[in-house]
Amino acid sequence: MLELGITGHQELTVTEELLACNVGSGLVSVYATPMMIAGIEGTAAASVAPYLEEGQTTVGTQLNVSHVAATPAGMKVQFDTKLIEIAPNGKMLTFAVSAYDEAGLIGEGTHQRAIVAKERFEAKAQSKLG
């Protein structure tokens, strides 16, 4: 059962493929903001996945995250998430999120995810193709 306080934690090492200059988000050779966001989203999603009903998943709906420090390739990064709010309808989840490299804080903020029926959600997206 979903309840406040569920936490998530994941780690990775920044590789060349994750640098801004290689993902199209800038020209600098540092960890790309979109890759940090993906790490935060993945950590939040994984943290609540065991508590969802069969056929359900979560999708990101909102991010309010600051990227406050640059990280070079070769450094380890860790992501931490904590479920801090569940909407009254039980479908919207809000997380406090943070990211650190070996030197300290690199990003923090909040992230919202919606609980959806995976097959129905994907079918609705595919229906846009006509």
Side-chain angles (χ1 to χ4, degrees):
M1 180 173 162
L2 278 173
E3 56 187 39
L4 297 180
I6 293 171
T7 60
H9 178 84
Q10 292 186 2
E11 298 181 5
L12 61 77
T13 299
V14 177
T15 62
E16 293 289 322
E17 296 80 20
L18 301 177
L19 301 181
C21 60
N22 293 325
V23 301
S25 68
L27 302 177
V28 290
S29 296
V30 299
Y31 189 43
T33 302
M35 299 298 91
M36 182 186 77
I37 296 300
I40 286 169
E41 285 203 66
T43 303
S47 75
V48 295
Y51 303 96
L52 301 177
E53 295 175 16
E54 188 173 335
Q56 289 184 327
T57 190
T58 60
V59 294
T61 59
Q62 187 176 43
L63 286 154
N64 183 8
V65 176
S66 300
H67 193 174
V68 299
T71 304
M75 265 195 145
K76 290 183 181 168
V77 172
Q78 70 177 32
F79 308 101
D80 293 299
T81 63
K82 182 177 183 180
L83 182 58
I84 59 170
E85 184 179 342
I86 302 171
N89 68 4
K91 298 292 184 191
M92 293 297 292
L93 311 175
T94 303
F95 299 83
V97 299
S98 57
Y100 296 85
D101 66 18
E102 296 168 73
L105 182 71
I106 63 168
E108 64 183 339
T110 58
H111 172 42
Q112 280 188 339
R113 299 189 71 75
I115 298 173
V116 299
K118 185 179 183 298
E119 284 186 23
R120 194 170 109 228
F121 184 85
E122 290 176 342
K124 184 175 178 183
Q126 288 297 316
S127 73
K128 290 181 168 185
L129 294 173

